[in-house]
Amino acid sequence: EPEVTQTPSHQVTQMGQEVILRCVPISNHLYFYWYRQILGQKVEFLVSFYNNEISEKSEIFDDQFSVERPDGSNFTLKIRSTKLEDSAMYFCASVTGYNEQFFGPGTRLTVL
Amino acid sequence: GIQVEQSPPDLILQEGANSTLRCNFSDSVNNLQWFHQNPWGQLINLFYIPSGTKQNGRLSATTVATERYSLLYISSSQTTDSGVYFCAVRSYQLTFGKGTKLSVIP
């Protein structure tokens, strides 16, 4: 059964460093998402991506964040200059349309 | 934006007991999903249920879209059912509730 994959599973970085989180969505899906979950809190929407451009973004998704689909399979989230409060679990999801979203296993980002 | 409220926030059950988790939402939606977050933090899809009733083993879910709520039933609970259960609804992006933390004790 096809699934969404994410790498790395855990990333530790120093404050101010750039990080890139990677996702491989399900191959025939058209819409891609990033979500964030700070420890002990609910999952929050960051950004949606369709047809090689951002379709919607939340207030959390400021200028420090960017997304890219560099090739036909990968979908990346970049944080330019990490802050302590960026420590969270980051989930990628994909979907064919207004249907069930399939989530990856997440990347746990720790900013020291 | 749309509001999603889950109840109860915490639930402790004896193994073998049944439970009902509730999700209320404030506006019309075109998607509703239930997830189980396991101890490793992974979100496991339980149900995609914008309306109607579905069953999968000991779990079942019902969504009454016209009344803006969904229920997740867990029967004969097991210790492996422990974790946080999230309801998420979609009008545009997926909006999650705060979850119900379930603890099943032997």
Side-chain angles (χ1 to χ4, degrees):
Chain A
E1 184 174 325
E3 58 183 19
V4 178
T5 59
Q6 291 185 242
T7 54
S9 56
H10 192 186
Q11 173 97 42
V12 181
T13 190
Q14 294 290 326
M15 192 170 55
Q17 294 297 304
E18 175 184 286
V19 294
I20 297 176
L21 310 183
R22 291 182 168 80
C23 169
V24 179
I26 295 173
S27 63
N28 63 339
H29 285 187
L30 302 175
Y31 296 82
F32 314 112
Y33 301 83
W34 284 101
Y35 294 84
R36 179 183 82 174
Q37 184 184 31
I38 294 172
L39 184 65
Q41 299 186 21
K42 67 178 183 178
V43 179
E44 300 173 290
F45 167 76
L46 288 178
V47 64
S48 59
F49 193 84
Y50 170 71
N51 201 24
N52 284 320
E53 60 183 24
I54 291 173
S55 52
E56 200 173 357
K57 60 183 181 180
S58 73
E59 294 175 350
I60 304 168
F61 194 87
D62 61 21
D63 291 344
Q64 292 299 314
F65 292 90
S66 62
V67 289
E68 198 175 44
R69 189 160 161 82
D71 54 43
S73 58
N74 290 284
F75 179 49
T76 62
L77 175 69
K78 181 192 292 186
I79 309 175
R80 289 189 183 81
S81 179
T82 50
K83 303 187 281 280
L84 295 176
E85 53 265 39
D86 293 328
S87 294
M89 183 77 107
Y90 289 82
F91 294 101
C92 171
S94 71
V95 66
T96 53
Y98 276 95
N99 295 313
E100 182 176 6
Q101 290 197 15
F102 292 85
F103 280 69
T107 293
R108 187 173 299 280
L109 177 66
T110 302
V111 182
L112 302 176
Chain B
I2 194 165
Q3 304 298 312
V4 182
E5 292 185 5
Q6 292 187 242
S7 60
D10 295 278
L11 184 59
I12 300 174
L13 294 177
Q14 201 78 37
E15 199 169 25
N18 303 328
S19 62
T20 301
L21 282 57
R22 187 175 180 102
C23 173
N24 292 333
F25 44 97
S26 61
D27 207 344
S28 300
V29 298
N30 49 37
N31 177 6
L32 188 144
Q33 294 182 237
W34 282 97
F35 297 89
H36 176 215
Q37 187 163 43
N38 65 20
W40 296 272
Q42 296 174 337
L43 288 171
I44 309 301
N45 280 31
L46 296 177
F47 295 101
Y48 165 67
I49 187 165
S51 64
T53 297
K54 288 186 177 179
Q55 180 156 5
N56 184 3
R58 296 181 296 104
L59 274 60
S60 64
T62 295
T63 297
V64 183
T66 53
E67 297 186 21
R68 300 180 185 167
Y69 73 89
S70 182
L71 302 173
L72 177 70
Y73 305 96
I74 304 174
S75 65
S76 304
S77 57
Q78 301 175 357
T79 55
T80 50
D81 294 332
S82 296
V84 183
Y85 289 80
F86 288 104
C87 163
V89 303
R90 184 177 178 189
S91 50
Y92 295 99
Q93 73 271 13
L94 210 54
T95 300
F96 282 72
K98 293 184 178 180
T100 292
K101 184 177 180 181
L102 175 64
S103 301
V104 181
I105 54 177

